[in-house]
Amino acid sequence: PLLQAAGKKKSLNLLELTEAELEEQFVRGDGPGGQATNKTNNCVVLKHIPSGIVVKCHQTRSAEQNRKLAREILQEKVDLFYKGEASDVFKEKKSSEKKKQEKKRRAKENLERKRHLKEMQQLDEK
C-alpha cells in the first residue's frame, strides 16, 4: 500500500540508485495503440535487485523517455520501501490527500448553504 504513492510527484530527498543494482528489459507494451505498440519494444521493465521492486513503464512511445520515467518511479518506490512513513513521497501523498479532503468538505458545506438558501427563498415566496 505504501508503494502506491510513488510516481506522483518529484521529491528532492530520495535514495540514490546505482546502475549495478538495476536490471533492465525492453518488452512490447500493451494497451491501445495498435501497430505502434505491437511492433516496438519500447516498454521498460526495471527491477531493483536488492529490494525486488519491479516497475513497468510504457507512458510514451520513446524508449529513452520511458527509461528515464521508470528510473524516477523506481527511485520513489525504493525510497518508500526503505524509509516507509518517513519518506518525502509518503509525506507529500498524505498532505495532498488532506488537501483533497478539505476541498471536498468545503464544497459539501457550500452545497448545503445553497440548498438552505434556496429553501428559505421558496418559503418566502409562499
Side-chain angles (χ1 to χ4, degrees):
L2 274 179
L3 297 180
Q4 291 176 350
K8 309 293 182 198
K9 305 222 180 204
K10 295 190 178 187
S11 298
L12 304 173
N13 195 14
L14 297 177
L15 293 174
E16 292 297 320
L17 300 178
T18 60
E19 289 297 317
E21 297 176 332
L22 303 178
E23 188 179 294
E24 184 177 48
Q25 286 182 304
F26 294 95
V27 295
R28 289 201 175 116
D30 55 0
Q35 186 174 0
T37 58
N38 294 340
K39 286 193 170 186
T40 57
N41 290 338
N42 56 6
C43 180
V44 178
V45 178
L46 199 59
K47 180 178 182 180
H48 185 249
I49 298 168
S51 65
I53 297 174
V54 178
V55 170
K56 186 175 180 182
C57 182
H58 187 231
Q59 294 180 6
T60 68
R61 293 174 67 178
S62 166
E64 286 302 313
Q65 286 179 341
N66 286 334
R67 287 181 77 204
K68 182 181 175 192
L69 290 169
R71 279 169 172 69
E72 290 173 2
I73 295 169
L74 183 67
Q75 187 177 20
E76 290 180 4
K77 286 194 178 205
V78 168
D79 189 66
L80 271 170
F81 181 77
Y82 286 115
K83 291 183 180 177
E85 293 184 9
S87 172
D88 287 346
V89 177
F90 184 78
K91 290 175 184 174
E92 281 183 22
K93 175 76 173 169
K94 281 293 183 189
S95 68
S96 68
E97 283 179 3
K98 278 186 178 180
K99 286 179 186 176
K100 189 176 179 180
Q101 288 175 351
E102 180 64 22
K103 190 175 179 180
K104 276 186 176 180
R105 187 187 61 76
R106 274 190 258 124
K108 193 174 182 179
E109 286 176 357
N110 283 338
L111 189 63
E112 286 296 321
R113 276 193 220 115
K114 287 179 183 178
R115 283 185 189 151
H116 184 68
L117 182 64
K118 198 172 190 177
E119 288 173 4
M120 296 298 286
Q121 287 175 343
Q122 287 176 351
L123 288 175
D124 288 342
E125 290 175 1
K126 292 181 181 178

